[in-house]
Amino acid sequence: MKTKTVSVPCRLVMAAAWVSAAILAAHVAMGQEAKPAAQEQDETQESANKRQLAVMRTLADTIQVTVGDGEQGKEAKLIPKPLFRFSDPSRLYSDGSVWAWATPGRPLAMVEFRTEDRNGGVWGHDLVATSDVRVSAEVAGHGRWAPQEPVFKLQPVSDSAPPAKTEAARLRQMKRFARTLSASEVRRGQRYELRLLPTEIHRYSDAQSGLVDGAAFAFVVGSNPEVILFVEAHKADSGELSWKYGLARMTAAEMTFLLGDTEVWTVPGFYGGLSESYYCFTRSVPDAVDGPD
């Protein structure tokens, strides 16, 4: 039996090739368009992040913190970049950050800014004194914050090895101590366990005052800081080194801290005020002022 050969006209072969080429070119074009679109989306998000950071920087620049009273008062410098940035979708906070003012050593005051997309430019503030000396601040468009008495206090760390000789070893000791603490808060009748961020948000020292080393850690809900823990190595006049720690609230919620099984710190739900060491309030973005770059 003979096999019948079917011939295909050349023009049909060429037409098929043209169609295949056209399809391939379309796929290539689509791929080329998709990549710039993704890049454009990333660039748009990055631009939005920078705009929000600039807004938060303006909020920080328009809070002028002073340590001491009267003519003896000294301006505290804003640390130029936020110590921490976060969002908290569970509470509808689309963006937030933590900033601090300092002379050498531990920050004198800290503030958390946070906003919701629906708020239209209104930002929540948690402003807290983190020093055992008196601080105050002029808050543009809001008033003068002047706590009557310092509330922040350092407590000794007992049953702990003395601070090590190197920074790296001391940091490991500070993290080890931080993990011995556990915390919870009650917000609108619901209890939340706080989580310790594994990495410190700020490191500092002031050898002149005997503060050999210090680090600030954040206890968070999601990624939203609710409490700042300070762990510090201090040198006494005798030359002996020892550990101390302190806690500063960054939320109006009721909170409890345990060291092991022992309750060491509890604070009620409290929004504070202009005369309190902690003050929770809202503020719109004021006009930008001259500040450090």
Side-chain angles (χ1 to χ4, degrees), residues 8-279:
V8 179
C10 181
R11 61 178 180 274
L12 294 180
V13 174
M14 293 180 66
W18 290 338
V19 170
S20 297
I23 293 173
L24 178 60
H27 281 292
V28 170
M30 290 174 64
Q32 289 175 341
E33 290 175 1
K35 186 175 181 180
Q39 289 177 344
E40 183 178 350
Q41 184 176 4
D42 290 343
E43 290 171 0
T44 299
Q45 184 62 47
E46 182 180 358
S47 178
N49 286 338
K50 288 181 178 179
R51 286 196 301 272
Q52 286 287 79
L53 182 59
V55 168
M56 290 184 279
R57 176 60 190 264
T58 296
L59 289 169
D61 281 338
T62 54
I63 300 175
Q64 304 298 318
V65 174
T66 301
V67 56
D69 293 320
E71 295 181 357
Q72 302 299 318
K74 180 180 179 181
E75 182 181 355
K77 299 297 184 181
L78 173 68
I79 296 174
K81 295 182 179 180
L83 306 187
F84 187 67
R85 193 167 178 186
F86 67 94
S87 62
D88 185 0
S90 67
R91 295 178 179 177
L92 302 180
Y93 299 142
S94 55
D95 206 348
S97 59
V98 175
W99 300 72
W101 292 262
T103 53
R106 182 189 336 110
L108 300 165
M110 301 177 75
V111 68
E112 176 188 302
F113 303 126
R114 61 193 180 280
T115 191
E116 303 175 21
D117 285 336
R118 64 185 182 181
N119 273 359
V122 176
W123 290 77
H125 294 50
D126 290 290
L127 181 59
V128 62
T130 53
S131 172
D132 53 3
V133 298
R134 183 166 294 185
V135 297
S136 60
E138 294 292 339
V139 183
H142 194 78
R144 185 170 186 267
W145 175 62
Q148 295 301 303
E149 295 294 336
V151 171
F152 180 86
K153 293 181 180 179
L154 290 174
Q155 304 292 335
V157 176
S158 58
D159 301 326
S160 178
K165 293 183 178 180
T166 67
E167 289 187 1
R170 288 196 298 268
L171 182 58
R172 288 194 294 271
Q173 289 177 295
M174 288 187 275
K175 288 182 176 182
R176 191 177 304 123
F177 170 72
R179 290 194 294 269
T180 66
L181 291 163
S182 58
S184 62
E185 71 175 21
V186 177
R187 175 186 168 95
R188 296 176 182 173
Q190 186 171 349
R191 187 171 181 268
Y192 299 88
E193 297 297 327
L194 304 188
R195 176 176 64 90
L196 172 67
L197 292 180
T199 302
E200 73 281 4
I201 64 172
H202 186 50
R203 192 85 180 267
Y204 55 91
S205 64
D206 182 15
Q208 186 174 353
S209 70
L211 174 54
V212 175
D213 202 351
F217 299 87
F219 280 83
V220 302
V221 171
S223 62
N224 182 359
E226 302 291 81
V227 178
I228 305 299
L229 164 68
F230 300 89
V231 186
E232 300 177 353
H234 286 261
K235 185 176 183 179
D237 292 339
S238 63
E240 182 181 2
L241 296 178
S242 62
W243 289 110
K244 297 180 181 181
Y245 77 99
L247 295 160
R249 69 190 302 163
M250 298 291 279
T251 177
E254 173 189 341
M255 286 178 298
T256 301
F257 262 74
L258 301 178
L259 177 57
D261 296 325
T262 303
E263 184 177 299
V264 293
W265 194 63
T266 181
V267 290
F270 180 59
Y271 285 92
L274 286 169
S275 62
E276 305 290 345
S277 288
Y278 167 77
Y279 184 27

